[in-house]
Structure formats: C-alpha cells, structure tokens
Amino acid sequence: MGEISRRKAMGLGLGAVTVAGVAGCAADGDPGARPGGAGTPTRHGSIPPSPVVVSIGDGSTADTGPQPHQPAKPVPLQPGETPPQFVVFSWDGAGEVGNGLFPRFLKVAKDHGAAMTFFLSGLYLLPESKKGLYKPPNNPVGASDIGYLKDENIRNTLKYVRQAWLDGHEIGTHFNGHFCGGSGSVGKWTPANWQDEIGQAVSFVTQWRTNTGFTDLEPLPFDYGKELVGGRTPCLLGQENLLPTAQKLGWRYDASSPGGIQVWPRKKGVVWDLPLQAVPFPGHSFEVLSMDYNMLANQSKNTTRGVPSNYAAWRRQATGAYLGGFKRAYETNRAPLFIGNHFEEWNGGIYMDAVEEALKGMAGHKDVRLVSFRQFTDWLDTQDPAVLAKLRSLAPGQAPVGGWKSYLSAA
C-alpha cells in the first residue's frame, strides 16, 4: 500500500484529546508455561499428547482443547504480599501486511517469556473480491478505512494468528472497517450497530475457508466464540455504546477507553475497563498515551515519515517513555502498564525498535508478569474486592505507606 492508504489502514485519526494532546489509533522455544504469566509458572519435561481436533463450521476453526503455554491458575494475594507488576503489550489490527513484524514480535515474546494480546481485524481474513459480504453499520457495503489484504498476506496472517494462539497469546478483536470520522464513525454507533459489527468480525474469522477458498491451510486452533472476551475500538472511540453489547456477549474486559492514568483498574458495569495510560514523556512537561501512534503524533506531528536525522533521538524518547511508565509503577503503586502497538514501520520503524527494547528492559525483573489482557483479567477476578479497592486508592507514582507488608496486611 502507499503511505496514504497505509495511514488509512491503521486509522490515523487524532481521536480524543488526552494529557499528551492526542489519543492514538485504536487505529522455537521451551514447551513449558511462560515465566511471565499471571501466576507461578510450571514447566513440563515431557512432550504433551497431540490434541484432539474437533472441526467447527466450515473447518476454518477447530476446538483443540486447552490453550498451551498458559500460566498456573492465579491465586488471591495474601495479606501483606507485594502485588505483581503486570505489563500487557497489545497489537491493533494484528495482520501480517508483508513487513515481517508479526513473526518478529512472536519471536521477541517467546525469547522473553511474554504473552501478548493480538486484536485481530476481521477484514484481514476477507479477500477484497468478497468485500460485498461486509455490511458496515452506517457505511456503504464493502467500505473500509483499512485496506483489504492481498491473498498472500491473508495466508500469512492466518499462519501467524494460529502460531500466536499456540504460543499462548490472546486473540481479541479490533472489529472490521476502522471508521473514525464522518457520519459513519464508530463513535456514533449504537449498541445494536456494535453487535452487528462484532457478529461480522466473528464470521470473517470463523468462515475464512469459505470466503477465501483456501483448502491447503490448517484451521485456526481455537473456538473463537469462546476465545473472544475483549477488544479495542478503532481510534479509541465508541466505548460507551459498545459496553452494553460487550456485557450482553459476556465479554470480560474492554481496552477502548480514550486514555487513562497509571492506577489499578475498575469495572464499568461488569466489564473491566483497561485503558491505555499517560506515561512520562522524556524532555516534556506533559505525559503521552502509551501507544506507538501517540509517540509519532507528538514527535513528527502525525507524519509517518519525519526527518530521518531525528529518528535516533525519537527512538530513545519513545523507549524512555515506556520504561519511565514501567519504572514509576514498579517502584510505587504497582499499577499494571498497558502498551498499544501497530505492525507499522512509521518513522523508519523506530517505534517497533522502541517497544522491543522496552520489553527487554522490563523482562526479568522480580515480580514482573508480561501477560495478555485475558490473563490479567483472570488474576483480577481471583482477587478479594477489598484488596483491589485498596490498590485503586494509590495514585500514579504513590507508594504504599509503610510498604506493602503493612499496607495490605489489613485489606
């Protein structure tokens, strides 16, 4: 795709105003469990038996049993115990568009024991020749503000989505057409519109074999009806009307808030609200939202190809923002850190380098858990509500008075 169409493809609208000024686009290893999981990991010395594959529908997906590489079942914090430092790396769109970034970060995750969340855009599994099957709410049939992928890229997206799930990552949704502006914007959709959009997204994932005609690929190894428990809306718009539908569908979390701060999360209704967060922005008095596009918007003013001589400094600045947010939480209130990304090579690929460097700088620290949103939600749902309420009372950068042993002893 050309630069303009690629910008459309990832929905580079300004979105809502945040502390930083803009909201982002919302455009072979060891067989044991992940050391970064949401609990105490276990490892297995024997090779697990081959799963029993139960085909679903047209064979696009299959129930292959429990997902591999999951952490041990989470347990409640004990009185006086220090909370883990959770970090969630997530990816909007999650399509392999030919730049090799999807497999790159699958390897990074495997090398460092990280689980991630991949918000798959349903249209990335629908050929453009079949775009008439997509009927987006309040938009023309087949319309989309992200491009349809070439067949070879659909094939690779299927390959890496399959690998991601088998590696222990979560497959969420980034919905379909990524409409951020005009009368058809997702920000104006009703709960019924969202239900229609989600239904279509699920159909594109579960009927790719029929829609593509591909007969030589293995099915996605999960039941998407059970797998899908959360998502992130395009450009972080429309959460208010999405939530009633998310609740109706039994979703457990939503990552579409237009910006938050580094505190422990709360629910909106029965759905956990897990927003991107404002983090320290090196060299500035304001903070920036924890997403690659927001770094770009503040550095090259929404231009995806800024002055190359600035790239090195911008990469250091983006890395510093992620690590600054991590350090602030890790050393004080232990609020989870949520980082959003796109498989894009904006400004020479510096944001991909920055997120990789940041992940490496976080991995290996005591108490750090690099998890998916679903794994983090599992942990939240296991905790005593009184303990979570005490954790939520700590502001960004506020350490517990008397230390964790004292602060949580009576929760």
Side-chain angles (χ1 to χ4, degrees), residues 67 113 121 125 133 137 161 180 191 199 204 214 218 263 274 291 325 348 350 363 405 410:
Q67 185 177 12
S121 293
L125 301 186
L133 295 175
V161 168
C180 295
F204 299 144
F214 300 158
E218 295 183 86
V263 294
L274 307 179
M291 176 176 267
I350 62 173
K405 187 173 182 179

Side-chain angles (χ1 to χ4, degrees), residues 20 262 278-290 294-295 298-299 312-328 351 354 358:
Q262 286 188 275
V279 295
F281 197 30
H284 295 281
S285 59
F286 59 84
E287 301 198 337
V288 65
L289 206 63
S290 53
N294 288 81
M295 307 292 174
N298 282 280
Q299 291 171 335
W314 287 345
R315 182 181 64 249
R316 290 192 297 271
Q317 189 178 53
T319 305
Y322 294 136
L323 289 175
F326 170 80
K327 184 174 186 290
R328 178 168 65 182
Y351 305 107

Side-chain angles (χ1 to χ4, degrees), residues 35-282:
T40 303
T42 59
R43 293 191 177 275
H44 310 281
S46 59
I47 299 174
S50 298
V52 176
V53 177
V54 180
S55 183
I56 300 172
D58 69 353
S60 295
T61 58
D63 186 343
T64 59
Q67 185 177 12
H69 303 292
Q70 293 304 293
K73 183 177 180 180
V75 296
L77 283 173
Q78 297 304 300
E81 184 180 358
T82 301
Q85 177 61 60
F86 291 102
V87 184
V88 181
F89 289 90
S90 58
W91 300 86
D92 289 6
E96 173 48 46
V97 297
N99 55 21
L101 291 172
F102 203 152
R104 170 183 170 180
F105 281 94
L106 288 176
K107 184 178 186 303
V108 169
K110 184 173 289 189
D111 289 346
H112 297 278
M116 300 179 176
T117 293
F118 295 93
F119 291 124
L120 175 64
S121 293
L123 284 194
Y124 282 166
L125 301 186
L126 183 70
E128 188 167 12
S129 63
K130 297 292 184 67
K131 69 179 184 179
L133 295 175
Y134 179 40
K135 300 175 176 58
N138 305 332
N139 286 277
V141 172
S144 173
D145 280 355
I146 60 172
Y148 289 83
L149 299 187
K150 298 176 181 178
D151 282 3
E152 63 186 277
N153 292 336
I154 295 176
R155 283 178 169 273
N156 282 326
T157 296
L158 285 163
K159 173 183 176 180
Y160 295 123
V161 168
R162 187 176 196 279
Q163 179 183 333
W165 191 86
L166 291 173
D167 283 354
H169 304 292
E170 176 190 8
I171 309 301
T173 187
H174 198 44
F175 307 93
N176 295 307
H178 212 290
F179 303 103
C180 295
S183 60
S185 168
V186 300
K188 300 177 181 179
W189 285 4
T190 66
N193 291 151
W194 281 113
Q195 183 156 353
D196 184 15
E197 176 80 349
I198 294 166
Q200 293 188 74
V202 171
S203 75
F204 299 144
V205 175
T206 59
Q207 297 175 32
W208 62 261
R209 193 179 297 279
T210 296
N211 294 334
T212 63
F214 300 158
T215 59
D216 58 334
L217 301 179
E218 295 183 86
L220 295 175
F222 51 81
D223 181 342
Y224 202 42
K226 298 177 181 177
E227 171 72 11
L228 182 56
V229 295
R232 178 177 289 138
T233 62
C235 295
L236 306 177
L237 296 173
Q239 187 193 55
E240 182 178 355
N241 282 339
L242 168 65
L243 286 175
T245 297
Q247 180 172 329
K248 181 179 177 181
L249 294 174
W251 284 15
R252 301 177 61 203
Y253 73 87
D254 179 65
S256 305
S257 293
I261 56 177
Q262 286 188 275
V263 294
W264 283 86
R266 64 179 64 247
K267 287 184 176 180
K268 290 186 176 180
V270 300
V271 179
W272 286 104
D273 180 35
L274 307 179
L276 295 171
Q277 303 149 319
V279 295
F281 197 30

Side-chain angles (χ1 to χ4, degrees), residues 298-312:
N298 282 280
Q299 291 171 335
S300 57
K301 308 307 178 188
N302 306 319
T303 299
T304 62
R305 292 181 182 176
V307 179
S309 60
N310 291 327
Y311 288 174

